[in-house]
Amino acid sequence: MSEVSIDESLQRIIDEIVAPQAATVDAEGAFPRAAIDALGAAGILAVTVPAEYGGGGAGMDVAADVVRRLAQACASTAMVVCMHYSATAMLVAAGHEQAVRAIASGDHLTTLAFSERGSRSHFWAPVSTAAADGDEVVLNAEKSWVTSAHEADSYVWSSTPLAADGPMTLWYVPTDTPGLSIPSTFDGLGLRGNDSCPVTAVDVRIPATDLLGTDGTGLDHALAVVLPWFLLLNASASVGAMQALTAATRDHLAGTQLQHLGQTLAQQLPSRTRLAQMQIQSDRSRTLVEDALAAVAAARPEAVLLVLESKASADQGVAEVSDLAMVACGGAAFRKELAVERRFRDSRAARVMAPTTDALLDFVGRAMCGLPLLGDV
Ligand SMILES: Cc1cc2nc3c(=O)[nH]c(=O)nc-3n(C[C@H](O)[C@H](O)[C@H](O)COP(=O)(O)OP(=O)(O)OC[C@H]3O[C@@H](n4cnc5c(N)ncnc54)[C@H](O)[C@@H]3O)c2cc1C
């Protein structure tokens, strides 16, 4: 599929499905199934799958643009797709042909199952287990947050290793595997259509061939493969939200009269100043993400640092921009009609999605000082 036809299909899906359904997805906490099905049918869920497996063969820059544009309309849909592309990258890197061909067909949604009840946001230290039993592996886990938990077809799953040294091993786990259960539904502050639920595994048996990479090297893969995709796509979602918030605020300020003064809100200095701060923050995060994507593509030496910076910056940026929008648009933002309050609620998630902003600031400082990202300093 060419970039032009992706562009046209994506815009049609956003205009006809994602944007019109965003308020309902939020109000009802409903998974955006119609949008995901349409994105699958249009080849957009397969756009990053290499052409040799039947996918679109596109890179991270195209995926980041898809997620950014979805987030302008519906943050929940964008985050489901962000998780799908991040997990797909790992399945491609591991050469799991069955899974990758299924994703290329357009009707297979995947996601990341890293966070656990025991180690919480410290995804680099799973406490769940994997035990060898002949040709099978038995998984036991209490995953704390899995986006698309009920709706995905597969999870990219972390555990402690079978036998090797090292903190982590990764697995491909189809979601219909017996022993998996979802103990609760998602009723969150924001990203309410995400279906981000806990998932429990009790003696879940998968073929030993569903190992991704090698036993004990999961953290290396998580850091080298999954992390750049997740960080840059998550940051792109925040950029899309900032752009939508800034445009909505500009339109409200320009179109709202103070009748007794014969002036618009845009003619009031504090309103314009807030709008300017939003635009600057939005452009700052966007340019950082674009530079990080270029650095990754060119394998520039500072790529790792820029990737880490991108989500830390966008996490804080989207929180700040949504806060400014709530004040700049006043009471109108407090109601539903501008969708500012929805985006304000959605924007609270980025800082606590792992790696959290706290963890990223630590990682950035470590990278600058030549220290390992993880471990004792
Ligand atoms: C909407 C949503 C969707 C999600 N989807 C997924 C998903 O699909 N897959 C997945 O694997 N996970 C997912 N997560 C989980 C996410 O990645 C984090 O693991 C989770 O939000 C962390 O919450 P917690 O309460 O466990 O954090 P905690 O670990 O309890 O942390 C609470 C706070 O303390 C800070 N903190 C913790 N330890 C330290 C430290 N050592 N130094 C400094 N600060 C620290 C954290 O930064 C955080 O701000 C999702 C989360 C959300 C909110």
Side-chain angles (χ1 to χ4, degrees):
M1 187 179 221
S2 72
E3 282 190 29
V4 174
S5 61
I6 284 175
D7 196 58
E8 285 170 5
S9 311
L10 178 62
Q11 199 54 52
R12 180 182 50 76
I13 293 165
I14 289 171
D15 292 344
E16 294 177 6
I17 304 174
V18 180
Q21 295 189 357
T24 307
V25 163
D26 174 61
E28 297 178 1
F31 186 79
R33 177 43 70 187
I36 296 303
D37 286 348
L39 292 166
I44 295 170
L45 293 184
V47 75
T48 62
V49 171
E52 71 205 76
Y53 294 112
M60 208 184 272
D61 55 338
V62 172
D65 197 53
V66 170
V67 170
R68 181 186 61 80
R69 289 169 59 187
L70 289 171
Q72 290 176 340
C74 175
S76 293
T77 308
M79 199 50 59
V80 167
V81 174
C82 166
M83 292 302 182
H84 170 80
Y85 285 147
S86 302
T88 297
M90 186 59 222
L91 294 168
V92 169
H96 196 298
E97 187 165 350
Q98 178 206 342
V100 175
R101 287 200 184 278
I103 293 167
S105 77
D107 60 4
H108 184 109
L109 184 70
T110 188
T111 191
L112 296 175
F114 281 7
S115 303
E116 299 192 351
R117 187 161 176 260
S119 49
R120 306 183 69 83
S121 60
H122 298 202
F123 68 88
W124 51 88
V127 295
S128 65
T129 60
D133 186 13
D135 293 342
E136 292 184 323
V137 167
V138 182
L139 301 173
N140 281 282
E142 286 183 274
K143 297 291 176 181
S144 51
W145 290 87
V146 182
T147 290
S148 314
H150 294 85
E151 301 281 340
D153 299 286
S154 65
Y155 304 134
V156 169
W157 184 278
S158 59
S159 74
T160 47
L162 289 173
D165 286 338
M168 189 194 287
T169 295
L170 296 178
W171 307 96
Y172 168 73
V173 181
T175 53
D176 59 1
T177 310
L180 290 172
S181 63
I182 302 174
S184 59
T185 53
F186 181 52
D187 185 10
L189 173 73
L191 296 179
R192 289 176 47 75
N194 255 21
D195 186 27
S196 298
C197 300
V199 174
T200 303
V202 177
D203 295 335
V204 166
R205 290 181 169 273
I206 57 169
T209 49
D210 281 342
L211 171 67
L212 301 176
T214 55
D215 189 33
T217 60
L219 183 58
D220 298 335
H221 300 305
L223 295 178
V225 179
V226 181
L227 203 62
W229 283 83
F230 174 72
L231 291 176
L232 289 176
L233 270 50
N234 193 284
S236 294
S238 293
V239 169
M242 283 187 252
Q243 291 171 330
L245 282 157
T246 305
T249 302
R250 180 202 57 214
D251 292 349
H252 181 71
L253 298 185
T256 306
Q257 286 284 329
L258 292 162
Q259 283 186 0
H260 64 296
L261 298 177
Q263 293 181 340
T264 63
L265 283 175
Q267 287 171 285
Q268 315 309 308
L269 179 59
S271 304
R272 287 198 303 279
T273 304
R274 290 192 181 100
L275 183 64
Q277 288 175 298
M278 293 169 71
Q279 179 71 20
I280 291 166
Q281 184 62 264
S282 173
D283 280 342
R284 189 183 287 160
S285 295
R286 176 183 57 78
T287 52
L288 186 49
V289 170
E290 286 173 359
D291 194 35
L293 286 164
V296 169
R300 281 173 18 212
E302 72 277 26
V304 170
L305 190 58
L306 291 171
V307 168
L308 297 169
E309 287 177 40
S310 291
K311 180 173 178 287
S313 169
D315 290 353
Q316 292 170 321
V318 75
E320 190 182 314
V321 165
S322 59
D323 200 32
L324 283 163
M326 288 297 293
V327 181
C329 298
F334 213 76
R335 293 192 300 250
K336 303 275 186 199
E337 69 248 26
L338 299 179
V340 167
E341 64 83 35
R342 165 163 58 84
R343 293 188 168 106
F344 175 82
R345 288 185 285 102
D346 291 337
S347 74
R348 304 295 103 179
R351 290 179 298 191
V352 297
M353 293 185 80
T356 64
T357 314
D358 289 325
L360 287 169
L361 293 176
D362 181 25
F363 291 174
V364 168
R366 285 168 175 262
M368 290 171 67
C369 298
L371 297 168
L373 287 194
L374 296 165
D376 296 331
V377 287

